């Protein structure tokens, strides 16, 4: 893969920031968008824009075809067995909320267990806290090893016959850990529990096959995989989705409406009340085409190579602490530099044109587990190169020089 050629396809990356060519290392927060996606959005609004599923006019059918065509692309991209199993959502957060408010609340009884890990993003934590409060279910956590990974023996111990739902992140947005979700799904199913996978960070970087994983639900965010903001998807096994009540009621999701009673459309539309995120879906479809053209295996390999290179170079910086495992990690490095506040690190880096994220990364319980209040994080994607890592390292050395008194 040639990151320099790929980078050319991302107009935003051609600019200078604070007098330096931009090095964007915050793709775990949101990825940049290739020209193909920008053009698809432009084309949609310039030629096809209309509401879907209602108009008999030409633009209406073009918009409907584009929207439903995007659904077919998402289904194929993650290996769903049918388009009916793909619900368009705003992103992973909404996907998890649908499962936690519809499926979970209808099946959970007092004393039932929801199993999570302490590495979850708030989006895969708070919806379950709320579901537990509403039903009397209890939350249980698979413990983390010192390097942030989990052991299958612990998964075996924590999941019991009282467990009804296991919800776990595939790739951690802080530790970079890749969790063995296929094995965890097996254990969950052995106990009759369902498993939801938070795919916000895995879908952009690796080949995902929901049928191979045998997960019951899977959530993804378009904006982290070269698509626009405001669009994502919930995958669910058809029988489960069919058994669930919608969470939003209104236009588009109904079949027959009476003054006192109404019925719902079939899947997937019963979960898509109101005018859907049509342009967003079209943009996501274009992003999927783009990612597939590059190849998910190529992207994964590239991200891992960059991470290994970054780990090698960054761990040579005295007083720099990297969090998470040393191997089998995805394309990001979370770190602290001595006692320098991560926001100060990010500010100095920004002055050098290097964009990273600093903060708690929406994982406050994990920050407490790491015994820090916040960290800095550099995250990589297909447009990043070794030169970007070199620029990061140079900027970190400059930060160290600048804050010399706070280090060591
Ligand atoms: N789950 C994980 C693992 C995430 O990393 C994120 C977003 C979400 C869920 C929520 O996704 P959304 O698209 O619904 O917001 N993570 C981050 C991040 O690490 N920095 O900014 C957003």
């Amino acid at each position: 893969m040639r990151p320099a050629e790929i980078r050319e396809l991302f107009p935003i990356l051609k600019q200078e920031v604070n007098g330096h060519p931009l090095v964007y290392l915050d793709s775990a927060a949101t990825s940049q968008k290739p020209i193909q996606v920008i053009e698809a959005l432009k084309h949609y609004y310039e030629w096809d824009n209309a509401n879907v599923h209602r108009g008999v006019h030409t633009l209406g059918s073009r918009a409907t075809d584009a929207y439903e065509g995007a659904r077919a692309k998402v289904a194929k991209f993650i290996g769903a067995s049918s388009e009916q199993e793909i619900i368009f959502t705003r992103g992973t957060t909404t996907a998890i909320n649908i499962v936690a408010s519809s499926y979970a609340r209808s099946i959970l009884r007092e004393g039932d267990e929801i199993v999570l890990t302490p590495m979850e993003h708030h989006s895969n934590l708070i919806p379950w806290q709320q579901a537990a409060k509403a039903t009397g279910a209890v939350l249980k956590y698979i413990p983390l090893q010192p390097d942030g990974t989990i052991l299958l023996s612990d998964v075996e111990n924590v999941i019991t016959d009282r467990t009804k739902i296991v919800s776990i992140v595939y790739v951690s947005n802080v530790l970079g850990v890749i969790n063995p979700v296929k094995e965890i799904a097996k254990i969950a199913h052995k106990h009759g529990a369902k498993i939801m996978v938070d795919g916000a960070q895995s879908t952009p970087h690796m080949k995902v096959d929901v049928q191979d994983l045998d997960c019951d639900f899977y959530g993804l965010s378009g904006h982290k995989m070269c698509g626009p903001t405001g669009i994502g998807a919930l995958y669910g096994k058809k029988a489960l989705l069919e058994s669930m009540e919608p969470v939003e009621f209104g236009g588009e999701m109904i079949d027959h409406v009476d003054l006192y009673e109404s019925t719902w459309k079939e899947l997937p539309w019963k979960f898509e009340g109101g005018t859907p995120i049509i342009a967003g879906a079209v943009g996501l479809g274009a992003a999927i085409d783009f990612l597939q053209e590059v190849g998910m295996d190529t992207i994964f390999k590239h991200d891992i190579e960059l991470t290994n290179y970054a780990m090698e170079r960054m761990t040579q910086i005295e007083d720099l602490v990297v969090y998470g495992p040393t191997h089998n990690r995805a394309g990001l490095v979370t770190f602290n530099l001595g006692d320098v506040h991560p926001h100060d690190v990010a500010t100095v880096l920004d002055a050098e044109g290097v964009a990273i994220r600093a903060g708690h990364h929406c994982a406050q319980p994990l920050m407490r587990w790491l015994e820090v209040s916040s960290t800095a994080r550099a995250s990589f994607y297909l447009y990043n190169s070794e030169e970007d890592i070199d620029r990061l390292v140079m900027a970190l050395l400059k930060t160290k020089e600048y804050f010399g008194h706070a280090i060591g």
Side-chain angles (χ1 to χ4, degrees):
M1 194 168 108
R2 296 191 186 83
E5 278 172 29
I6 294 211
R7 190 186 164 94
E8 280 298 302
L9 301 170
F10 290 75
I12 204 169
L13 298 176
K14 291 177 187 161
Q15 65 186 297
E16 290 201 341
V17 167
N18 297 321
H20 303 277
L22 170 63
V23 171
Y24 185 76
L25 300 177
D26 197 18
S27 297
T30 199
S31 72
Q32 297 303 349
K33 323 300 173 200
I35 191 71
Q36 289 90 330
V37 170
I38 298 167
E39 287 295 335
L41 290 170
K42 188 164 174 279
H43 181 90
Y44 171 76
Y45 278 123
E46 283 182 354
W47 291 95
D48 301 335
N49 179 55
N51 213 324
V52 292
H53 304 140
R54 32 184 135 201
V56 283
H57 57 73
T58 302
L59 296 194
S61 10
R62 274 201 226 140
T64 304
D65 288 350
Y67 181 65
E68 293 302 331
R71 193 191 310 276
K73 286 178 190 181
V74 175
K76 204 156 167 243
F77 188 61
I78 61 166
S81 62
S82 136
E83 286 136 43
Q84 288 187 298
E85 296 181 320
I86 303 297
I87 317 293
F88 279 126
T89 65
R90 270 199 305 122
T92 307
T93 304
T94 317
I96 298 170
N97 271 281
I98 291 174
V99 180
S101 12
S102 174
Y103 178 73
R105 289 189 195 205
S106 69
I107 59 124
L108 288 173
R109 301 285 172 266
E110 189 147 357
D112 283 347
E113 299 163 355
I114 302 167
V115 169
L116 309 170
T117 79
M119 77 175 87
E120 301 310 320
H121 187 280
H122 296 162
S123 294
N124 194 29
L125 177 60
I126 304 164
W128 303 114
Q129 289 178 349
Q130 295 301 101
K133 277 187 196 145
T135 58
V138 293
L139 299 176
K140 284 173 77 182
Y141 288 90
I142 301 165
L144 303 185
Q145 292 304 294
D147 67 355
T149 55
I150 56 174
L151 296 177
L152 286 176
S153 53
D154 282 331
V155 178
E156 293 267 13
N157 287 336
V158 175
I159 298 177
T160 71
D161 287 346
R162 290 305 309 260
T163 306
K164 294 290 178 291
I165 294 162
V166 178
S167 194
I168 187 161
V169 69
Y170 199 167
V171 171
S172 159
N173 65 320
V174 176
L175 301 166
V177 167
I178 305 173
N179 284 314
V181 293
K182 187 173 171 174
E183 287 72 23
I184 299 170
K186 271 196 200 120
I187 299 169
H189 290 151
K190 206 168 67 188
H191 292 276
K194 304 295 180 220
I195 179 165
M196 160 111 223
V197 176
D198 171 349
Q201 299 291 349
S202 46
T203 325
H205 298 276
M206 56 208 271
K207 201 166 167 27
V208 170
D209 185 332
V210 288
Q211 287 189 74
D212 180 54
L213 295 174
D214 197 20
C215 56
D216 299 288
F217 300 104
Y218 186 97
L220 61 90
S221 296
H223 70 95
K224 292 187 202 286
M225 47 190 283
C226 295
T229 48
I231 185 78
L234 165 66
Y235 157 83
K237 285 183 181 167
K238 196 171 163 196
L240 283 170
L241 291 176
E242 267 169 351
S243 75
M244 287 160 56
E245 275 292 297
V247 287
E248 282 192 334
F249 302 87
E252 296 269 356
M253 51 76 67
I254 46 80
D255 178 24
H256 179 81
V257 177
D258 238 327
L259 281 180
Y260 298 100
E261 284 294 331
S262 302
T263 55
W264 322 138
K265 267 190 188 154
E266 58 181 339
L267 287 177
W269 304 294
K270 77 169 179 181
F271 287 104
E272 296 180 359
T275 298
I277 318 149
I278 310 165
V282 170
L284 177 57
I288 287 174
D289 287 343
F290 170 75
L291 292 174
Q292 282 182 323
E293 209 171 295
V294 181
M296 291 313 292
D297 291 337
T298 309
I299 294 171
F300 184 67
K301 193 163 160 272
H302 169 75
D303 293 348
I304 297 296
E305 277 167 11
L306 269 194
T307 308
N308 290 342
Y309 181 67
M311 290 281 282
E312 191 187 307
R313 298 237 28 214
M314 288 169 76
T315 47
Q316 280 167 13
I317 301 176
E318 214 186 321
D319 303 312
L320 189 143
V321 180
V322 170
Y323 303 101
T326 49
H327 62 283
N328 191 28
R329 51 156 51 237
L332 59 90
V333 179
T334 293
F335 62 95
N336 266 318
L337 185 59
D339 293 333
V340 186
H341 195 282
H343 282 144
D344 291 334
V345 176
T347 304
V348 178
L349 262 56
D350 183 56
E352 297 293 313
V354 179
I356 63 158
R357 177 154 184 205
H360 55 61
H361 313 288
C362 299
Q364 288 186 19
L366 182 59
M367 292 295 120
R368 280 190 281 282
W369 182 82
L370 290 170
E371 296 179 347
V372 295
S373 57
S374 58
T375 72
R377 179 188 68 190
S379 52
F380 318 121
Y381 208 8
L382 70 173
Y383 34 69
N384 292 123
S385 61
E386 287 196 354
E387 288 79 68
D388 291 346
I389 311 278
D390 294 340
R391 286 272 309 280
L392 166 70
V393 169
M394 259 158 53
L396 285 170
L397 291 173
K398 211 161 198 173
T399 314
K400 205 163 142 47
E401 222 169 85
Y402 193 77
F403 286 100
H405 61 282
I407 298 178

